[in-house]
Amino acid sequence: MKIQCHFLTKRRNLLLRKIAGICRELGYELEIDETALHIWPCPMTELAIGWRRKSILLSSMWEFAGGCDTTQGGPGLHQAVAGLLDRITQEGVKDLSVEDDTGYWDHRDFGRLQKESFGPWFAQKRGQKQEYLCWDEDLYQPECIPDTVVTPLGRFTRQELRRLEPDRFFLWPGGGKDALYYRNRALYDLWTNCHYTPDDPVNEDILENLEKAHWADPDLPLPVSAYREVCILSGRDFQIPEDAPELAEQFQPGYRKGFVKNRIGSLRFILPGSYRFSVERLPNGSLGSLWQNESEDSPQWRVSGFMRENGQQAAYAADFSAMQDIETIPLKHGKARMGWSGEQITCEAVVGAGLYLFNITCRTLEQREESLDLLRQIESCL
């Protein structure tokens, strides 16, 4: 389900300040760059609106256009985006036009939106045999469990998914930020983002959202066991009683409790889900990708990728003359080689026009052997 907009304004900067104020009031995340607004009414969906200067009969105007796909967020998100566009129309914009393939912009009947658009879509999708549903595979892939379907709000067997209610599948199923919204918002973080470590920044959001859900509806089933686990990790007292209704499911939350497949360009590589990604500035001034867990002596995985121009085949570039135990790994449309010297493991992978370099710092022999085993499982996405 998509909703798209187009409008004009003479005073771009004033409008941007107004929109920023509306987003703060509504609690929506917002980023503004040189050419576009990026608004997240909920974490699964971005409303992007770009602009350009346009002259109409000697009068300079700014033309805004953009939209988002609300399918993953659900009917509540769709309604929220329409409401945000309503607020923007009150700030002096001209010639607003909205394309809404659900028809909600015109009829504004939320029950109809749920019944006619999101209900049939969910019923159609949940009968299909597929491993991922509404999942951004460019982010990472969770550990594979046969005959299950990965979704942002949980892992289900295919039989469970066929019986699942839309209220459990969509992050924002209702017409407002009610108990269901806060529970599903926490489930999204518990399953997708939480590293289950004491200093994980997402822990506080999970606990606050589950507590809001319980206070709004004490009878709503919640992932109480997961709540207590995160409380213990964070050193926080329980605010939800132990006898609160438990959300009974076959799989417990936490894709990152196992191994996950990360992606860079055309290559996937496996790491423990507890490893966190960050960007670091390299000595030459460029930016690099770093994965490591919370411990000070964690192995450090530094990964970078380079593309040859004009579609030319990439080639090995590093000097392996001082490396020990050099191995070659066949890949689809390419190959990789790896070796080690002291505390450093080096791996180069060539996939089509892409050259990918892994530099892994290991403190112990055990870490080195574990890292080499993980490197042997890299695979091409081409």
Side-chain angles (χ1 to χ4, degrees):
M1 272 58 76
K2 295 182 179 179
I3 185 167
Q4 297 175 299
C5 63
H6 177 276
F7 54 87
L8 303 172
T9 183
K10 286 186 176 181
R11 306 180 69 181
R12 179 197 61 175
N13 292 341
L14 177 60
L15 178 62
L16 293 178
R17 289 195 295 271
K18 293 284 189 178
I19 293 175
I22 294 170
C23 289
R24 284 194 297 271
E25 176 190 334
L26 297 174
Y28 299 164
E29 292 187 24
L30 169 70
E31 290 182 7
I32 303 177
D33 58 30
E34 295 181 356
T35 60
L37 287 158
H38 305 273
I39 303 170
W40 288 269
C42 76
M44 290 173 60
T45 305
E46 173 192 354
L47 169 62
I49 303 177
W51 61 78
R52 65 178 181 177
R53 187 179 289 276
K54 183 176 183 179
S55 295
I56 303 176
L57 298 177
L58 303 180
S59 175
S60 182
M61 302 283 285
W62 289 95
E63 180 182 24
F64 283 68
C68 68
D69 186 330
T70 60
T71 305
Q72 297 184 40
L77 172 63
H78 199 92
Q79 182 187 58
V81 172
L84 177 59
L85 294 179
D86 283 335
R87 294 286 299 272
I88 292 175
T89 62
Q90 299 172 17
E91 303 302 333
V93 304
K94 298 180 180 295
D95 300 333
L96 173 71
S97 63
V98 174
E99 295 182 14
D100 181 352
D101 59 13
T102 72
Y104 177 75
W105 179 259
D106 295 320
H107 64 67
R108 300 303 176 104
D109 184 333
F110 186 72
R112 181 178 168 183
L113 174 69
Q114 290 176 303
K115 182 178 180 180
E116 293 184 357
S117 298
F118 286 87
W121 178 90
F122 179 71
Q124 176 187 5
K125 290 291 183 180
R126 63 179 172 180
Q128 295 183 357
K129 291 186 176 182
Q130 55 187 345
E131 189 176 0
Y132 295 93
L133 183 58
C134 290
W135 183 263
D136 182 2
E137 295 186 42
D138 289 336
L139 179 63
Y140 67 83
Q141 289 184 347
E143 198 168 356
C144 181
I145 298 178
D147 201 38
T148 66
V149 179
V150 169
T151 79
L153 269 69
R155 184 192 296 273
F156 305 98
T157 66
R158 293 190 176 95
Q159 288 185 342
E160 284 180 309
L161 197 62
R162 284 192 286 269
R163 297 192 302 266
L164 198 66
E165 293 296 325
D167 283 355
R168 177 61 185 83
F169 177 82
F170 294 116
L171 187 146
W172 200 337
K177 290 190 175 181
D178 54 8
L180 270 174
Y181 170 84
Y182 289 116
R183 184 196 70 181
N184 290 1
R185 176 69 177 82
L187 282 168
Y188 172 78
D189 281 332
L190 282 166
W191 274 102
T192 307
N193 295 325
C194 188
H195 294 80
Y196 294 88
T197 56
D199 59 345
D200 196 335
V202 78
N203 290 352
E204 192 64 24
D205 288 338
I206 291 169
L207 299 177
E208 287 185 359
N209 283 323
L210 288 175
E211 288 162 5
K212 286 179 182 178
H214 179 70
W215 296 332
D217 183 359
D219 295 326
L220 180 68
L222 301 176
V224 179
S225 299
Y227 166 80
R228 297 175 73 83
E229 179 182 359
V230 177
C231 279
I232 293 170
L233 280 172
S234 303
R236 176 169 164 172
D237 293 336
F238 304 139
Q239 300 297 319
I240 299 176
E242 190 173 3
D243 61 354
E246 177 79 41
L247 183 64
E249 297 188 297
Q250 182 168 337
F251 298 97
Q252 291 301 305
Y255 292 128
R256 288 191 172 276
K257 288 182 177 180
F259 287 88
V260 301
K261 286 184 180 179
N262 299 282
R263 179 171 180 172
I264 178 170
S266 302
L267 203 68
R268 290 196 188 277
F269 58 99
I270 297 176
L271 284 176
S274 60
Y275 278 43
R276 298 186 199 174
F277 168 78
S278 62
V279 176
E280 64 174 357
R281 188 166 294 279
L282 303 177
N284 63 4
S286 63
L287 299 178
S289 301
L290 172 65
W291 279 266
Q292 61 184 348
N293 66 26
E294 79 284 358
S295 65
E296 293 182 359
D297 61 349
S298 163
Q300 296 178 325
W301 285 59
R302 290 178 169 85
V303 187
S304 53
F306 310 91
M307 298 297 294
R308 290 291 304 271
E309 296 181 355
N310 302 321
Q312 299 178 17
Q313 180 73 28
Y316 290 143
D319 181 5
F320 271 62
S321 61
M323 298 290 174
Q324 300 185 52
D325 298 333
I326 298 174
E327 301 179 44
T328 301
I329 304 169
L331 299 172
K332 183 180 179 182
H333 301 295
K335 59 183 178 178
R337 64 175 179 174
M338 63 182 186
W340 62 271
S341 177
E343 294 186 341
Q344 194 76 17
I345 298 173
T346 299
C347 175
E348 278 189 322
V350 172
V351 180
L355 172 64
Y356 304 94
L357 179 62
F358 294 76
N359 286 307
I360 307 166
T361 303
C362 301
R363 315 294 185 187
T364 66
L365 174 61
E366 181 182 14
Q367 288 183 355
R368 187 177 75 203
E369 292 304 315
E370 290 175 350
S371 297
L372 288 170
D373 284 342
L374 292 176
L375 277 174
R376 293 185 183 105
Q377 300 177 64
I378 61 175
E379 61 187 32
S380 168
C381 306
L382 290 182

